[in-house]
Amino acid sequence: MGECHKAVHLQESALKELAQEAPPEREQSTQMDANFGTAVKSGLGAAESAEEKPKVEEEESSSVSDKEAGAGEHHHLHLSSCHECLQLENSTIESVKCASVENIPELPKDCRVGEQQDPCLEKGMKRVNLAGKPPNVLIYLGSETAKVRFEQVRSVLQECINAESYTIYQLLQEQVLRDPWVDNALLLVIATEEPLPEGHHKQFMKFLDKGGKILGISSSFTLGGVRMKRKNKLRRTVHELVVSKAGGLSLSPEMRLNLLVSGCVFEEATKEEAGKVKTLCHLNNTEKDAVIVHVTHGASGGEAILCQAHLELDSNSLDVQTEEDFNLLKMSNSKRYEVLRELLVLLGLSCDSSEVPTLTPLHLLSPDEEIHLAFLKWLEGNVDAEGLRASSKVSLKFVPSCDPKVEVTPSLMPVLTDMGTFSSEHFSLEMYQKNLQTKKLGKILLFSEVTTTTMNLLDGLMLEVPEEMGLIAVAVRQTQGKGRGGNVWLSPVGCALCTLHLTIPLHSNLGQRIPFIQHLVSLAVVESVRTIPGYEDIELRLKWPNDIYYSDLMKLGGVLVNSTLIETTFHILIGFGFNVSNSNPTICINDLISRFNKEEGTTLEPLRADCLIARTVTALEKLIEVFQEKGPNGVLPRYYKYWVHSGKQVRLRHEDGPAAWIVGIDDCGYLQVHQEGRGVESVHPDGNSFDMLRNLIVPKH
């Protein structure tokens, strides 16, 4: 057999650690609470500062009222993307832990300074509290009380800050002057364009006087040496911004990204106050208009970051009308989160990644009761007296029901065999069964809410389980997901994550062309969506060799194939994962559906991971049957229908090497290119783990 088999892996996920520098301790008249470690004011403190009102300079007549509500009710869908294909390959999918929040009229007693024991200390969790205040984050929306708008702002904050260290509440208009929030909040987020009532602005300044932090997101709030200038031509348009490291952010020397801007920019009002104001970000225009500024206030550590770009809005905002703006925002979305995290860190909050979730037991499931019983019968003669099936990677202990005494570890995992006890909000066996139409594949399922990697779960079973009991492992989250070249792939809730086992005879069309499996799986993922009536035009595509893309812009999934040849049979483990409902920090299938509905006026329903996993396995089995009968030509027309490469130019050997044009793939699954004067040749990757299309090599014959 020709040497054309290569293991194919997902791209490296390089998680950038955000540097956090604690601000210097500032003098405060405080008494430290022994339990909370928060500052309790001994008196009312210094006299309130002179009231400062927002200052807005009109550049031209405004077509909208100053009292117009800021963003209205946008449907929250936090999209994410990378800057370009290469940077996308380097991005990571961060696990996002969401916490519920109660919309209550007052801050609860346990969030105020008192003599209680900090529940986080009892749990051993890290409590970050640089300003000596309770770890409450308040969101002020003015007269906007719609839950959708609050969730929109809350969600983007929740995805940036350490969810174990802070609690987020809404500060309602009637609470501003009534409730004692000034002494019981660490950060106030002002996210309304409405003019602030005089008393509210005065109260916000009092909060700064006492060392509070304010983040203004497209708000009318200003202070100190800062005033706003309205440029109506910019209002709710997408513009390129330039973020400078010189402002104190630990970003690259200069970052560029596209965001929806409010239509206002900042100007320094007085030279006397200029030393307290730093420009962090400006528009990429001739005037270099400032849109994000940092302002210090008072002697107690008060500070504010004011932003006239919509950091809380994504490409699904109702203000985004054109496909060009949609794509620009998606391509900048991961940078949007990076900038927001940096701003929060600058204000003293912790944006460390959440802790790794706890591993959970496996559930043995099957959509076919007869096959389930047959598998249990097979187990009787293939496990020891304790129900243990040993393996060098992960040993499985089959037990009827959950035993709290049995610990779940990376090397030993209990498998619950009683399907009657199974329940999950993220996976429906009924939905899986409804969409699985296979003869063999995906019949015996090992399911886990949280596991290390599905690639290891089938290791101890795949070589001996009867072929008709097709094994598949599915997880909601992975803590050690495997990628190409041993890279780590982190997986949040909302991904379709699984490993499928199949066998291929060596002496068969596919057995002689094993690298083609990755192409068949990628095609199956795309067809799992685009063969549903109404979903045919969802812009889900293939990128060689093993990636799933939105158009040719952003990656949302990939495939990993490992094969073992035992005598004349290949045992194949196929790991595939793609984003279904998780938008961060790349993009997901439901984002594409939402955008399609908006453009076409349709009402397509969002899709589920359990449904698409079953449909992918079904499509794959049919593709394998066609390939075994007809060879590559039986599936390539369908593959080319969805791939992104036709007529694309690549460089051979190095970035300045000769140009060639992609024309297809050969019988071993490698790219074929046409080079002027040399005709069509097959090319191989050079082994880098970031972009398989860079520096392609023409192998020596």
Side-chain angles (χ1 to χ4, degrees), residues 229-262:
K229 180 178 181 179
R230 183 172 286 118
K231 290 191 171 184
N232 290 322
K233 289 182 179 180
L234 296 176
R235 181 170 174 78
R236 297 300 174 90
T237 59
V238 175
H239 268 265
E240 185 176 58
L241 279 61
V242 180
V243 184
S244 173
K245 187 176 181 179
L249 303 180
S250 57
L251 299 167
S252 56
E254 185 176 272
M255 175 188 283
R256 295 172 184 262
L257 72 161
N258 289 282
L259 291 178
L260 196 68
V261 295
S262 70

Side-chain angles (χ1 to χ4, degrees), residues 570-584:
F570 276 109
H571 287 264
I572 313 291
L573 283 181
I574 302 168
F576 60 89
F578 51 93
N579 301 337
V580 179
S581 60
N582 58 304
S583 297
N584 280 320

Side-chain angles (χ1 to χ4, degrees), residues 50-62:
E51 182 182 349
E52 301 180 57
K53 292 185 177 180
K55 304 166 188 174
V56 181
E57 176 184 331
E58 292 285 352
E59 181 186 65
E60 53 195 33
S61 60
S62 176

Side-chain angles (χ1 to χ4, degrees), residues 211-232:
K213 316 290 182 180
I214 288 179
L215 174 63
I217 302 179
S218 299
S219 77
S220 61
F221 177 79
T222 61
L223 73 157
V226 176
R227 64 179 181 180
M228 289 192 301
K229 180 178 181 179
R230 183 172 286 118
K231 290 191 171 184
N232 290 322

Side-chain angles (χ1 to χ4, degrees), residues 182-460:
V182 170
D183 292 317
N184 292 282
L186 183 63
L187 173 70
L188 171 65
V189 179
I190 306 175
T192 176
E193 295 179 0
E194 296 175 357
L196 297 176
E198 185 174 316
H200 290 190
H201 190 275
K202 185 176 181 179
Q203 191 78 332
F204 296 160
M205 294 304 301
K206 180 180 178 181
F207 177 61
L208 288 173
D209 288 339
K210 294 188 174 186
K213 316 290 182 180
I214 288 179
L215 174 63
I217 302 179
S218 299
S219 77
S220 61
F221 177 79
T222 61
L223 73 157
V226 176
R227 64 179 181 180
M228 289 192 301
K229 180 178 181 179
R230 183 172 286 118
K231 290 191 171 184
N232 290 322
K233 289 182 179 180
L234 296 176
R235 181 170 174 78
R236 297 300 174 90
T237 59
V238 175
H239 268 265
E240 185 176 58
L241 279 61
V242 180
V243 184
S244 173
K245 187 176 181 179
L249 303 180
S250 57
L251 299 167
S252 56
E254 185 176 272
M255 175 188 283
R256 295 172 184 262
L257 72 161
N258 289 282
L259 291 178
L260 196 68
V261 295
S262 70
C264 290
V265 297
F266 294 111
E267 293 184 330
E268 291 187 10
T270 62
K271 292 183 179 179
E272 293 78 9
E273 297 282 349
K276 298 180 180 180
V277 181
K278 287 184 179 179
T279 297
L280 302 180
C281 176
H282 63 81
L283 292 177
N284 187 20
N285 60 4
T286 304
E287 297 83 5
K288 294 187 176 180
D289 292 312
V291 288
I292 304 180
V293 295
H294 178 252
V295 189
T296 57
H297 176 81
S300 297
E303 57 186 330
I305 291 178
L306 309 178
C307 177
Q308 289 302 327
H310 284 284
L311 290 168
E312 84 284 13
L313 297 181
D314 55 35
S315 56
N316 200 53
S317 166
L318 296 178
D319 294 287
V320 180
Q321 299 297 328
T322 69
E323 183 178 357
E324 180 183 4
D325 284 349
F326 177 80
N327 290 337
L328 285 172
L329 291 176
K330 276 195 172 296
M331 299 286 281
S332 291
N333 208 54
S334 63
K335 290 184 177 181
R336 176 172 69 99
Y337 277 87
E338 188 176 359
V339 169
L340 181 55
R341 288 189 186 97
E342 287 286 348
L343 298 181
L344 292 168
V345 168
L346 193 58
L347 289 172
L349 278 75
S350 169
C351 291
D352 295 335
S353 299
S354 301
E355 294 181 3
V356 176
T358 304
L359 300 178
T360 61
L362 304 176
H363 290 267
L364 175 65
L365 307 173
S366 178
D368 188 314
E369 182 64 27
E370 288 187 14
I371 292 181
H372 182 248
L373 293 174
F375 182 79
L376 292 177
K377 184 69 175 178
W378 177 86
L379 275 180
E380 292 177 4
N382 290 277
V383 295
D384 66 13
E386 300 295 323
L388 184 68
R389 176 78 181 181
S391 169
S392 60
K393 293 183 178 178
V394 180
S395 295
L396 304 177
K397 185 173 183 179
F398 291 87
V399 293
S401 57
C402 186
D403 183 353
K405 298 178 181 179
V406 179
E407 184 181 5
V408 185
T409 70
S411 59
L412 177 60
M413 296 188 180
V415 183
L416 312 184
T417 59
D418 182 4
M419 289 201 299
T421 64
F422 174 71
S423 175
S424 171
E425 64 175 303
H426 302 115
F427 186 89
S428 164
L429 182 59
E430 181 180 358
M431 178 68 70
Y432 180 81
Q433 181 180 26
K434 179 181 177 181
N435 288 278
L436 186 73
Q437 306 295 326
T438 61
K439 300 172 183 176
K440 297 179 181 178
L441 298 186
K443 296 292 190 179
I444 293 294
L445 191 150
L446 295 181
F447 172 84
S448 178
E449 294 285 347
V450 182
T451 194
T452 51
T453 169
T454 58
M455 289 297 287
N456 289 344
L457 297 181
L458 305 181
D459 181 68

Side-chain angles (χ1 to χ4, degrees), residues 91-106:
S91 70
T92 183
I93 301 176
E94 293 180 27
S95 296
V96 178
K97 180 175 182 180
C98 293
S100 62
V101 60
E102 297 179 72
N103 188 14
I104 53 179
E106 294 186 1

